[in-house]
Amino acid sequence: MEIVFLGTSSAIPTNNRNHSALALKAFGEIILFDCGEGTQRQMTRARLSPMKIDRIFVTHFHGDHILGIPGLIQSMAFRGRRDTLEIYGPPGIQELLNSMKKLGYFALSFNIAVHEIKDGTVLEEDDFKISAQLMKHSVENYAYCIEEKRDPKFIKEKALKLGIKPGPAYGKLQSGLPVKIGNKIIKPEEVLGEKRRGRKLVYSGDTLACEEMVGFSKDADVLIHESTFNNSHKEKAFETGHSTAEMAADIAKKAGVKSLVLTHISTRYKDVKTLEMEALNVFEDSVVAEDLMRLEVEQHDD
Amino acid sequence: MEIVFLGTSSAIPTNNRNHSALALKAFGEIILFDCGEGTQRQMTRARLSPMKIDRIFVTHFHGDHILGIPGLIQSMAFRGRRDTLEIYGPPGIQELLNSMKKLGYFALSFNIAVHEIKDGTVLEEDDFKISAQLMKHSVENYAYCIEEKRDPKFIKEKALKLGIKPGPAYGKLQSGLPVKIGNKIIKPEEVLGEKRRGRKLVYSGDTLACEEMVGFSKDADVLIHESTFNNSHKEKAFETGHSTAEMAADIAKKAGVKSLVLTHISTRYKDVKTLEMEALNVFEDSVVAEDLMRLEVEQHDD
């Protein structure tokens, strides 16, 4: 499971920071969160194929989070994509996509399935689920939480004791199905251990740091939180519905997350040291993201 | 007068080449020709302020030439632009802009004046004019020609002979107005030389090399011509309404231009040497553009 920071600027891009976008390489696919202008090129730089994206999750409808979608779609079509592309976002996303489909001549070679989200689970698969929660920005902005589901551990000793030899039966039991050994039916719970904890990631989108985020990111492995400003522009954060690095660190501390990554950095900060220091003073495991930074999220032992 | 190549890729961007866009620094402004996705960031890299753009000329409605417009407009609005932005393009440009204005939440702080073009002069100013001509692409594509207008040379010796001393009268005569010296009216033609040749630039947009371009770019100082393919994909050029480097060089030769710059290079060519060689074999002053390349166009002596 790897997070690739494709764009870490706020409204205006800089030489070093492109508009917002995050790629999650996990569960055999690439899931995109937000897609600012130039995201397809950032993917090329990160050696990620846009063709491997099957799902895009949009936090809100500010240009710096969405204007890369038309180009991404058109490039997919140009390359002859056939697979359906699923796009999730706040109410209005269908209308937004309708306008995006009108931008110039191109033949859409695949289906786009658009999902208008609300608070709660927005996608549930066998091995993960994604939920959304409304936060506090100047426009409707949803944070996303990705939770991995893990199978319980297979205890080989127990299986051997029950006379089951290594082979296909192990896989069947692991996946929750019973097997017949001689005349005996072995139930999965006879060989499986406790339920195991999966990894949990939260991405804030744009928001003023708020209590809702504390609950939403509880015990997350990684909280990716916007921090548009440092403490010298705290008032501006309140005015515009954004966060400072310190505010984000405070959320991370209260939520008991393992690590905090700050992103969506204002162009005014050429040097992010102040920002990072302000976060580190509150929460030890803080880092400011850079474009094309890759973060491996390690599996839990338990 | 300087041309800045902001993007030189074709449909798909690469690590080194962004989507199509050209900036012309001349006549006290920055004029943009095409505006592919990511153009605003390329401008930052080239140290050109998007706020200094007052006019955008669009050749055609393929995504790689237009998808940077929404972001550029939104960033201008974010920075509080008040000046009108003039956008020129093929019929349908108004409808395109209408869709672009619907992409997410933003407050347009300035007026956008949209001009649907046809063959002929599309803009005439005191010091330059821009004309357009339909070329041969898979969709309606207009090439643009920028022609500088120059005042005739002021012949100081003649003025002195007529008893006019250096001062405001020189400026008045230079700008074509008569002056009164004592009881005598001096007409501009008495002190001005022959009409002087201004610089001429032509930008093809996307097109199959065609006779129309020969006439349109006659004697140009710089012809910026697409060359999506090299000779090994000549058939593809005909199929898709694009040009090879050799075809573009042939146009340059027939039109008697001073120099040829090749752009809109397919992603398939990691190394553009073949492309450049094929052009050089036909036309000596050929070069393949690179992103952020700057080209100073020198003034004529005559």
Side-chain angles (χ1 to χ4, degrees):
Chain A
M1 185 182 273
E2 190 182 41
I3 304 164
V4 186
F5 294 84
L6 296 171
T8 62
S9 80
S10 59
I12 306 278
T14 69
N15 278 352
N16 301 320
R17 295 182 187 275
N18 201 59
H19 293 295
S20 288
L22 270 183
L24 174 64
K25 280 181 73 180
F27 320 117
E29 58 183 299
I30 297 174
I31 306 175
L32 200 61
F33 293 88
D34 285 336
C35 184
E37 183 180 351
T39 295
Q40 60 167 320
R41 193 171 180 211
Q42 292 296 93
M43 291 194 72
T44 301
R45 287 203 170 107
R47 297 179 170 273
L48 299 176
S49 168
M51 295 302 262
K52 286 194 181 146
I53 298 172
D54 288 328
R55 297 177 173 111
I56 304 175
F57 292 83
V58 172
T59 59
H60 68 294
F61 301 154
H62 275 145
D64 55 326
H65 295 251
I66 55 171
L67 291 179
I69 298 174
L72 194 69
I73 289 172
Q74 292 195 23
S75 287
M76 286 170 171
F78 184 82
R79 284 171 162 147
R81 182 190 177 104
R82 294 278 160 211
D83 298 340
T84 294
L85 178 68
E86 314 270 344
I87 303 188
Y88 299 77
I93 183 96
Q94 180 65 67
E95 214 181 311
L96 179 71
L97 259 294
N98 291 347
S99 295
M100 286 181 171
K101 284 183 192 167
K102 288 180 191 156
L103 302 181
Y105 302 106
F106 69 103
L108 197 58
S109 58
F110 56 95
N111 182 40
I112 300 179
V114 181
H115 308 270
E116 303 212 329
I117 60 162
K118 53 184 182 181
D119 279 1
T121 302
V122 293
L123 173 70
E124 180 123 33
E125 294 281 343
D126 284 346
D127 43 358
F128 69 102
K129 77 168 192 174
I130 296 185
S131 49
Q133 191 167 327
L134 190 63
M135 295 292 151
K136 291 208 180 319
H137 191 41
S138 56
V139 302
E140 204 172 356
N141 174 85
Y142 286 85
Y144 287 104
C145 174
I146 305 97
E147 287 170 283
E148 182 188 24
K149 297 180 190 172
R150 285 176 76 197
D151 287 330
K153 199 172 176 185
F154 185 86
I155 303 164
K156 201 178 167 185
E157 298 74 34
K158 284 192 180 183
L160 290 171
K161 225 171 181 175
L162 289 164
I164 320 168
K165 281 178 192 148
Y170 279 30
K172 219 170 161 187
L173 285 161
Q174 172 77 81
S175 69
L177 295 170
V179 295
K180 203 174 170 189
I181 302 291
N183 294 326
K184 226 168 53 181
I185 303 270
I186 313 282
K187 289 182 195 159
E189 51 266 37
E190 294 179 63
V191 295
L192 298 180
E194 295 281 293
K195 218 177 165 206
R196 287 190 290 184
R197 192 152 65 104
R199 286 162 285 190
K200 175 176 172 175
L201 317 174
V202 171
Y203 168 51
S204 68
D206 285 6
T207 185
L208 176 65
C210 57
E211 275 306 309
E212 288 84 339
M213 186 62 84
V214 176
F216 195 61
S217 60
K218 196 80 197 152
D219 298 329
D221 291 84
V222 183
L223 168 60
I224 300 154
H225 200 290
E226 75 123 292
S227 97
T228 311
F229 301 110
N230 69 20
N231 274 342
S232 58
H233 300 99
K234 200 167 181 170
E235 281 311 305
K236 231 174 150 48
F238 281 103
E239 276 167 33
T240 56
H242 286 295
S243 303
T244 64
E246 192 181 77
M247 288 177 190
D250 193 51
I251 299 289
K253 192 178 172 184
K254 284 181 181 160
V257 308
K258 209 163 146 192
S259 68
L260 170 68
V261 185
L262 301 172
T263 188
H264 201 267
I265 313 299
S266 166
T267 43
R268 50 168 71 70
Y269 310 119
K270 304 283 169 259
D271 182 346
V272 295
K273 267 187 206 135
T274 312
L275 227 101
E276 197 158 69
M277 281 311 298
E278 286 172 0
L280 284 166
N281 279 340
V282 175
F283 184 76
E284 202 182 354
D285 199 347
S286 301
V287 66
V288 175
E290 301 294 335
D291 272 28
L292 307 185
M293 183 177 102
R294 298 176 101 101
L295 184 69
E296 183 67 40
V297 188
E298 277 173 40
Q299 191 50 275
H300 297 272
D301 294 331
D302 56 341
Chain B
M1 184 181 273
E2 191 182 41
I3 304 164
V4 186
F5 294 84
L6 296 171
T8 61
S9 80
S10 60
I12 306 278
T14 69
N15 278 352
N16 300 320
R17 296 184 188 272
N18 201 59
H19 293 295
S20 288
L22 270 184
L24 174 64
K25 280 181 75 180
F27 320 116
E29 57 183 301
I30 297 173
I31 306 175
L32 200 62
F33 293 88
D34 284 336
C35 184
E37 182 180 351
T39 295
Q40 61 168 319
R41 192 170 180 212
Q42 292 295 93
M43 291 195 73
T44 301
R45 289 205 169 105
R47 297 179 170 274
L48 299 175
S49 168
M51 296 302 263
K52 286 193 181 146
I53 299 173
D54 288 329
R55 297 177 172 110
I56 304 175
F57 291 83
V58 172
T59 58
H60 68 294
F61 301 153
H62 275 146
D64 56 326
H65 294 251
I66 55 170
L67 291 180
I69 298 174
L72 195 69
I73 289 171
Q74 294 195 22
S75 287
M76 285 170 170
F78 183 82
R79 283 171 161 147
R81 182 190 177 103
R82 294 279 161 211
D83 298 341
T84 294
L85 178 69
E86 314 269 345
I87 303 189
Y88 299 76
I93 183 95
Q94 180 65 67
E95 214 183 309
L96 179 71
L97 259 294
N98 292 347
S99 295
M100 286 183 171
K101 285 183 190 168
K102 288 181 191 156
L103 302 181
Y105 303 106
F106 69 104
L108 197 58
S109 59
F110 57 94
N111 182 39
I112 300 179
V114 181
H115 307 270
E116 303 212 330
I117 61 163
K118 53 184 183 182
D119 278 2
T121 302
V122 293
L123 172 71
E124 180 122 35
E125 294 281 341
D126 284 346
D127 43 357
F128 69 102
K129 77 167 193 174
I130 297 185
S131 48
Q133 191 167 328
L134 189 64
M135 295 291 153
K136 291 210 180 317
H137 191 42
S138 56
V139 301
E140 204 173 356
N141 174 86
Y142 286 84
Y144 289 103
C145 174
I146 304 98
E147 286 170 283
E148 183 188 23
K149 297 179 189 174
R150 287 176 77 196
D151 289 328
K153 200 175 177 183
F154 185 86
I155 302 164
K156 202 179 167 185
E157 297 74 34
K158 284 192 179 180
L160 290 168
K161 225 172 182 173
L162 289 163
I164 321 167
K165 281 177 192 149
Y170 279 31
K172 220 171 159 186
L173 286 160
Q174 170 77 82
S175 70
L177 296 168
V179 295
K180 204 177 171 188
I181 302 292
N183 294 326
K184 229 169 51 182
I185 302 271
I186 313 283
K187 290 183 194 155
E189 50 268 36
E190 295 179 64
V191 296
L192 297 180
E194 297 280 294
K195 215 172 168 216
R196 287 190 289 184
R197 192 152 65 103
R199 287 162 284 192
K200 175 176 172 175
L201 317 174
V202 171
Y203 168 51
S204 68
D206 286 7
T207 185
L208 176 65
C210 55
E211 275 306 309
E212 288 85 338
M213 186 62 84
V214 176
F216 195 60
S217 60
K218 196 80 198 150
D219 299 328
D221 292 84
V222 183
L223 168 60
I224 300 154
H225 201 290
E226 76 121 291
S227 96
T228 311
F229 301 110
N230 69 21
N231 273 342
S232 58
H233 299 99
K234 201 167 180 172
E235 282 311 305
K236 231 173 152 49
F238 282 102
E239 275 167 34
T240 56
H242 286 295
S243 302
T244 64
E246 192 182 76
M247 288 177 190
D250 193 51
I251 299 289
K253 192 178 173 183
K254 284 181 182 159
V257 308
K258 209 162 144 192
S259 68
L260 169 69
V261 184
L262 301 172
T263 187
H264 200 269
I265 313 299
S266 166
T267 44
R268 50 168 71 68
Y269 310 119
K270 304 285 169 257
D271 182 347
V272 294
K273 267 185 207 136
T274 312
L275 228 99
E276 199 160 67
M277 282 312 298
E278 287 172 359
L280 285 165
N281 279 341
V282 175
F283 184 75
E284 201 182 353
D285 200 345
S286 302
V287 65
V288 175
E290 299 294 335
D291 272 27
L292 306 184
M293 184 177 100
R294 299 175 101 100
L295 183 69
E296 184 68 38
V297 187
E298 277 172 40
Q299 190 50 277
H300 296 273
D301 294 330
D302 54 343

